[in-house]
């Protein structure tokens, strides 16, 4: 969780500080294991809100009535064994990010390079983690 929070904070800080670096999309992991003895792993983390995301309605007492994320997809690929799948993501309104979870990812013996990629109408972001299956 700390890594994902730091990644989201760093993206916001770079944009807010006028660094000239704008990070519109990001995808981050919540403390993935470096190694495991299991045949599968489940990854999770946070991601940027996709383009077109909107909050609507509200009053002073309850400022947000509904949240609608823009169109996006998040997928995982294990480059080591070629398996791939979809990731489920949820906008926990009024947070400024999505939370995501992969479901079971099959691991090959040894090192596994797993890519998680988010795509929206304006671009994409990818992050990679290596997990060793003992």
């Amino acid at each position: 969780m700390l890594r994902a929070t730091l990644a989201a904070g760093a993206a916001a800080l770079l944009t807010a500080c006028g660094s000239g670096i704008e990070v519109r999309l990001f995808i981050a992991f919540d403390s993935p294991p470096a190694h495991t003895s299991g045949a599968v792993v489940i990854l999770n983390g946070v991601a940027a809100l996709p383009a077109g995301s909107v909050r609507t309605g509200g009053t002073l007492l309850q400022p947000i009535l509904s949240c609608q994320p823009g169109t996006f997809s998040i997928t995982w690929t294990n480059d080591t064994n070629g398996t791939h799948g979809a990731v489920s993501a949820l906008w926990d309104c009024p947070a400024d990010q999505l939370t995501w979870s992969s479901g079971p990812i099959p691991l090959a013996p040894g090192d596994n390079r797993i890519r998680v990629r988010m795509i929206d109408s304006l671009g994409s972001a990818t992050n990679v983690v290596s997990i060793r299956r003992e």
Side-chain angles (χ1 to χ4, degrees):
M1 181 73 172
L2 178 61
R3 183 178 298 176
T5 302
L6 290 174
L13 184 61
L14 285 172
T15 302
C17 289
S19 67
I21 300 172
E22 184 174 333
V23 180
R24 191 185 65 75
L25 276 184
F26 69 88
I27 189 150
F29 296 100
D30 282 346
S31 305
H35 57 20
T36 182
S37 58
V40 298
V41 67
I42 295 175
L43 298 176
N44 54 56
V46 296
L49 292 177
S53 298
V54 294
R55 294 180 174 105
T56 59
T59 65
L60 287 176
L61 296 176
Q62 186 176 355
I64 299 168
L65 291 181
S66 67
C67 294
Q68 180 65 44
T71 303
F72 71 98
S73 68
I74 303 177
T75 58
W76 61 264
T77 303
N78 185 336
D79 292 337
T80 304
N81 61 16
T83 57
H84 55 87
V87 168
S88 61
L90 175 66
W91 184 4
D92 181 16
C93 192
D96 287 329
Q97 61 193 16
L98 300 171
T99 57
W100 62 267
S101 182
S102 68
I105 298 173
L107 298 174
D111 293 328
N112 288 262
R113 182 178 185 268
I114 301 169
R115 286 182 292 129
V116 178
R117 182 174 184 181
M118 178 181 187
I119 300 172
D120 74 0
S121 62
L122 298 178
S124 67
T126 302
N127 204 343
V128 177
V129 66
S130 293
I131 300 173
R132 180 167 186 76
R133 178 178 168 198
E134 304 293 337

